[in-house]
Amino acid sequence: MADVEIECRNLWKIYGAQEKEALKAVQSEGLSKEEVRDRFNCVLGVRDASFSVNKGEIFCIMGLSGSGKSTLVRHINRLIEPTAGEIHVAGHRVDTMGEAELRKLRAESIGMVFQHMALWPHRSLAENVGFGLEVRDVPLAKRRKAAEEALAAMDLQGWEDHYPDQLSGGMQQRVGLARALAADPDILLMDEPFSALDPLIRRQLQDQFLGLSRKLKKTTVFITHDLDEAIRMGDQIAIMNDGVIVQTGTPEEIVTNPKDAYVAEFVKGISRVSLVRAKTIMSPLDGHNPTSKTVPLDSELGEIMDQFMDDQAPVTVVDTANSAVGIITITDALRALRG
Amino acid sequence: MELWNIFDKEWVPVGTWVETALQWVVDNFRFVFQAIKVPFDIVLTGLEDGLTGAPDLLMLAIIVLVGWQAGGRKLAMVTGASMIAIGLMGAWEESMVTLSIVLTCVIFCSLIGIPLGIMAARNDRFWTVLRPFLDLMQTIPSFVYLVPIVMLFSIGNVSGVIVTFIYALPPVVRLTNLGIRQVREDMVEAARAFGASQRQTLYKVELPLAMPTIMAGVNQTIMMALSMVVVASMISVTGLGQMVLRGIGRLDMGIATVGGLGIVFLAIVIDRISQSFGVSARDRGHKKWYETGPVGALRKLAGKG
Ligand SMILES: Nc1ncnc2c1ncn2[C@@H]1O[C@H](COP(=O)(O)OP(=O)(O)OP(=O)(O)O)[C@@H](O)[C@H]1O
Ligand SMILES: [Mg+2]
C-alpha cells in the first residue's frame, strides 16, 4: 500500500457552545442537522468523517455549498478545533499537538490557498509570498530568494514589488499558489481555489496547477463544488452532503458506480468519454475469436468509440504483453456511454 | 410640613455623599493621584520646554516639513500659512503651549487607548464592560469633573492634560476596536494558516490593515482635545484657551478673537497633518513614506549626487 500522508478518523465538528452535549446526543440518537440546530442551537459541520490521502495524490472533496468542505479541510492544519476524532498528518497527531509544534507544521509542511485569495493588501507580492518564512524568522535575503522562485514558478517573475490590488483575479490566485509553495511544503490545502475565477482563466490555472503538481508531487487536498473540476484534478474524490462523506473513490468509480441518489444526481451530466476505461466494460473472451481491432486495457471510452467508426465488429482488449484478455461490442460501448 | 410641597426638603443628599466620598479619597489616596501625574508631567514639561524654547522660525520650518512629509506640497503650504498667521497675530508662544498640551494628550490617549481597543476587539465581554465607561466619559459635561480633578490633581497645565485625556480618550478606543474587528476574517485566517502566532498576526496583519481606522480615531481624539482647550483654561491651563478666557473675563473682544483664531488655525494644521498620516499606503500608490516628501527628495539628491 502507498504511504498515507493525511488521515482523519471519525472526525466530528459541531459549532456552538454546547458542542459536547450535542455530540453525545447525535451519536446516541442519530439526530439530523436540523434537530441539532433546534435542540442545542449548534450547527453540525462535519459528521463522522474518515478519509486518508496518499503521498503525492490529489484528493478532491466535492459537495454543495454548506456541506462542510471548508470545515473539513481546516481540520487538517487545525484552523478549526475538532469536536471529536483523530487527525494524522505526516505521522504526527495534529489534534493533540502543542501550539508551537502546530505553528511549525503550518509554516513548514502545509501550504494553503483560499477561495478569495486572502492576499494581504498592505504587503508587496514578495512580502505576501515570503510570509510563512518571515514568521519563522528566516533572514530577508533568503526569504526574498524563495519568494522570487515561487513567483517565477507561477509565471510571475518581475512582479515581486507590486501589490495585490494591481493584479487581475487570475494573477492574484497565482500569487496565492506561490505563497502556498514558497516554503516548499509537502502538503497543499486548496479551498475552492479557482471558484472565483471566470471559466477560461480557471481552465488555464487548472492546467498550470496540474502540470506543477505532476512535477512537484505534493499531497493535495482540493476542495471544489464542481464535479467536472474534481474529475479533472482528482486521483480520489470524496463527495460530501450535510457534513457526511457519502462516497469516496476514483473519478471512474464515482461516475460509473454512484452509491446513492445524491451522488447519482451529481454524475448525471458528466461525460464518460474520457472516464470509462476498456477494462471496466469488456466482457471475457469466452471462445470469441479475437478481432483485428485491438485497444490496450486502460484506453478510454473515446478511443474505443473511434474503433467503431468504420465497421461495427467487436474490439479486442489486449494487455501490455499484447495478448487478448477481453472483448467489447458496440452495444457494450454505447451502454457505457449512456451510463 | 406641607404635604403638597414635599420636595422642598432634600430627601436624598447626593451632593453631600459625593462630597464626603471625594474628601475621603483626597485625604487617603492623594499620593496615588500625585503619582499618576508624574508621567504626564514629564512628557508635558519636555514638550513645552522644547516647543517654546526653540527659535520661532526653526519651529515653523519643522512644522512645515512635517506637513510636507505627511501630505505633500499643498499641505506644506496650508500649514505654513496657518502658522505664519498665528505668529503675526502675536499668539505664537501661546499656541506652542497649547500644541504641547494637545500632543501630550494624544501621546497618552494612543498609548492607552490603542491597547484598550485591541483588547476590546479580542474580548466581547471586556468590550461590553468598557462601553458604558466610554459613553460616560464622552457625555458627562466636562465642567462636572473639573472639580474632582482639581481636588485630586490640583490646578495647572498637567491637570489640564488629564482632564483633556479623559474627555478625548473614547474615540481612539472605539475606532481601534472597530478597525481590528473589521479586518477580513480570511486575512487573519491566512496568517494563522502560514504559522503566525497571535502576536505576529496582530503586528503583521491586523494592525496594518486597521491603521486607517485607528488613525481616524486618533484624529478625532486630537480634535476633541483641541475643543477642550478653552474649558481647561478654567483650571489655570495656559495657552490659547487662556487668551479666550481672559477676553471673556475682561470683555476684551480683541484678545478673545486672537485666541479663537489661533485655535482655529492650529486645529487646521493638526487636523490635516494627522489625517494625512491615516491615508493608507494603497491610496498613496504604494510608495513608502520615505520615498516621498522632503525625506524622499533628500534621498533622491543623495542617490544622484
Ligand atoms: N464559524 C462557524 N460557526 C457556526 N457555523 C458555521 C461556522 N462555519 C461554518 N458553519 C456551518 O457549518 C456548515 C458547513 O460550512 P462550510 O463552510 O464548511 O461549508 P462549505 O461546504 O465550505 O460551503 P461553501 O461551498 O459555501 O464554502 C454550514 O452549515 C455553516 O453554516
Ligand atoms: Mg467553503
Side-chain angles (χ1 to χ4, degrees):
Chain A
M1 237 190 76
D3 284 342
V4 173
E5 181 99 341
I6 304 170
E7 187 175 10
C8 290
R9 284 189 208 142
N10 306 102
L11 200 63
W12 290 78
K13 176 63 192 181
I14 297 171
Y15 290 103
Q18 288 183 291
E19 50 172 326
K20 292 289 174 205
E21 293 86 335
L23 176 70
K24 238 185 231 136
V26 176
Q27 283 177 332
S28 59
E29 300 167 40
L31 302 180
S32 75
K33 193 169 171 171
E34 285 70 31
E35 286 169 318
V36 174
R37 187 191 58 211
D38 295 342
R39 257 181 58 188
F40 295 96
N41 193 23
C42 289
V43 181
L44 189 50
V46 170
R47 182 177 194 133
D48 202 13
S50 299
F51 65 91
S52 62
V53 184
N54 294 333
K55 233 188 182 68
E57 126 184 314
I58 300 182
F59 186 87
C60 281
I61 300 176
M62 217 280 306
L64 295 179
S65 186
S67 55
K69 310 177 297 286
S70 298
T71 305
L72 185 58
V73 76
R74 277 162 177 67
H75 282 88
I76 296 169
N77 55 356
R78 224 174 92 194
L79 286 175
I80 292 178
E81 293 286 334
T83 304
E86 288 176 20
I87 307 154
H88 301 256
V89 171
H92 303 284
R93 267 294 284 274
V94 176
D95 52 308
T96 54
M97 191 175 262
E99 181 65 28
E101 201 187 343
L102 183 62
R103 283 208 304 271
K104 188 169 144 74
L105 181 84
R106 286 172 179 166
E108 291 172 4
S109 313
I110 303 180
M112 192 159 182
V113 184
F114 299 85
Q115 177 171 3
H116 299 289
M117 291 81 170
L119 301 176
W120 301 291
H122 62 293
R123 300 181 138 245
S124 69
L125 299 198
E127 287 167 342
N128 263 285
V129 173
F131 185 84
L133 301 171
E134 187 180 324
V135 298
R136 299 214 59 79
D137 291 326
V138 173
L140 179 65
K142 225 170 137 188
R143 246 156 53 202
R144 175 82 193 185
K145 193 158 167 285
E148 276 170 8
E149 282 170 10
L151 283 169
M154 297 312 300
D155 295 333
L156 282 168
Q157 51 271 65
W159 287 89
E160 290 81 7
D161 295 312
H162 286 71
Y163 284 78
D165 60 350
Q166 299 167 322
L167 272 59
S168 70
M171 288 166 87
Q172 285 186 25
Q173 197 53 296
R174 298 216 301 268
V175 178
L177 261 166
R179 177 172 68 177
L181 292 169
D184 194 24
D186 295 327
I187 297 170
L188 285 180
L189 305 180
M190 307 177 74
D191 189 0
E192 303 201 29
F194 307 139
S195 299
L197 307 173
D198 50 54
L200 221 67
I201 304 287
R202 185 166 169 183
R203 186 76 179 214
Q204 226 174 339
L205 273 186
Q206 287 172 351
D207 288 338
Q208 192 171 7
F209 177 72
L210 272 178
L212 203 74
S213 174
R214 262 182 225 117
K215 206 166 68 199
L216 301 176
K217 298 244 176 302
K218 308 265 182 220
T219 309
T220 306
V221 178
F222 190 104
I223 310 270
T224 174
H225 60 245
D226 172 5
L227 188 60
D228 276 317
E229 188 172 58
I231 287 169
R232 263 172 74 76
M233 311 295 288
D235 297 310
Q236 293 278 324
I237 298 177
I239 310 250
M240 279 190 92
N241 181 21
D242 265 353
V244 183
I245 296 183
V246 285
Q247 186 174 5
T248 314
T250 62
E252 187 183 357
E253 278 164 11
I254 301 267
V255 171
T256 55
N257 199 6
K259 201 166 156 189
D260 63 10
Y262 179 76
V263 184
E265 187 61 29
F266 265 123
V267 303
K268 225 160 82 184
I270 295 296
S271 157
R272 286 137 208 275
V273 171
S274 59
L275 264 181
V276 178
R277 290 174 194 281
K279 61 181 173 215
T280 2
I281 55 168
M282 68 185 187
S283 34
L285 267 175
D286 278 345
H288 283 281
N289 285 332
T291 50
S292 58
K293 295 191 285 185
T294 60
V295 291
L297 263 173
D298 57 356
S299 55
E300 293 170 353
L301 184 54
E303 301 167 42
I304 300 163
M305 301 299 283
D306 288 343
Q307 300 290 329
F308 293 113
M309 290 291 185
D310 299 330
D311 65 88
Q312 301 184 354
V315 174
T316 309
V317 182
V318 294
D319 61 12
T320 39
N322 216 17
S323 55
V325 287
I327 199 152
I328 300 171
T329 64
I330 188 163
T331 331
D332 292 334
L334 286 173
R335 202 169 282 134
L337 186 64
R338 186 164 156 269
Chain B
M1 194 183 41
E2 270 187 77
L3 206 56
W4 285 114
N5 290 317
I6 55 166
F7 294 142
D8 282 355
K9 185 168 178 252
E10 176 194 17
W11 295 93
V12 187
V14 177
T16 324
W17 293 347
V18 170
E19 211 174 311
T20 323
L22 185 61
Q23 196 55 51
W24 183 80
V25 173
V26 172
D27 291 343
N28 293 282
F29 292 101
R30 200 151 202 277
F31 66 96
V32 177
F33 295 95
Q34 293 306 317
I36 293 176
K37 257 175 104 165
V38 174
F40 288 94
D41 200 1
I42 293 173
V43 175
L44 179 64
T45 316
L47 273 172
E48 216 177 314
D49 289 352
L51 294 191
T52 51
D56 299 351
L57 281 183
L58 177 66
M59 274 319 299
L60 178 65
I62 291 176
I63 293 174
V64 170
L65 282 177
V66 170
W68 184 10
Q69 186 68 59
R73 272 157 225 238
K74 206 172 140 221
L75 184 56
M77 259 139 58
V78 173
T79 46
S82 305
M83 291 315 292
I84 288 171
I86 291 176
L88 293 179
M89 287 190 303
W92 185 267
E93 205 71 1
E94 284 82 357
S95 72
M96 285 299 120
V97 173
T98 297
L99 182 60
S100 49
I101 290 172
V102 170
L103 285 181
T104 311
C105 177
V106 171
I107 290 171
F108 281 96
C109 281
S110 309
L111 234 51
I112 291 167
I114 293 176
L116 271 181
I118 293 170
M119 280 188 324
R122 290 250 185 284
N123 187 334
D124 283 329
R125 200 169 303 161
F126 180 61
W127 178 229
T128 337
V129 174
L130 191 63
R131 248 171 92 171
F133 285 101
L134 296 181
D135 292 337
L136 205 68
M137 285 158 82
Q138 246 176 330
T139 47
I140 276 197
S142 38
F143 288 98
V144 173
Y145 52 81
L146 281 186
V147 179
I149 290 288
V150 171
M151 286 179 74
L152 294 169
F153 295 101
S154 76
I155 57 171
N157 285 2
V158 180
S159 305
V161 167
I162 292 170
V163 172
T164 313
F165 168 81
I166 295 173
Y167 179 69
L169 182 66
V172 68
V173 181
R174 277 183 215 283
L175 281 154
T176 303
N177 170 60
L178 180 72
I180 299 272
R181 281 177 193 260
Q182 270 178 346
V183 172
R184 255 171 59 190
E185 185 67 48
D186 62 343
M187 299 279 154
V188 176
E189 188 178 50
R192 290 213 301 141
F194 284 98
S197 63
Q198 270 230 350
R199 205 190 161 74
Q200 288 169 323
T201 309
L202 178 68
Y203 283 113
K204 291 176 194 288
V205 175
E206 291 175 286
L207 276 182
L209 288 175
M211 203 37 90
T213 314
I214 295 176
M215 283 312 296
V218 172
N219 177 262
Q220 276 190 31
T221 286
I222 293 176
M223 295 329 274
M224 289 183 69
L226 265 167
S227 72
M228 272 294 280
V229 162
V230 179
V231 174
S233 66
M234 292 197 295
I235 55 171
S236 287
V237 175
T238 52
L240 293 169
Q242 204 188 32
M243 290 177 89
V244 176
L245 195 71
R246 240 189 295 146
I248 298 172
R250 299 189 209 147
L251 287 179
D252 180 341
M253 193 56 205
I255 191 170
T257 308
V258 172
L261 279 178
I263 294 177
V264 170
F265 285 128
L266 198 61
I268 292 173
V269 170
I270 305 183
D271 179 47
R272 293 292 162 80
I273 291 181
S274 67
Q275 267 188 21
S276 309
F277 282 136
V279 176
S280 75
R282 241 176 309 166
D283 299 330
R284 285 197 314 258
H286 291 299
K287 282 200 171 143
K288 300 269 191 275
W289 69 269
Y290 52 76
E291 289 168 349
T292 60
V295 179
L298 262 181
R299 281 166 57 99
K300 245 184 243 160
L301 269 183
K304 274 181 191 153

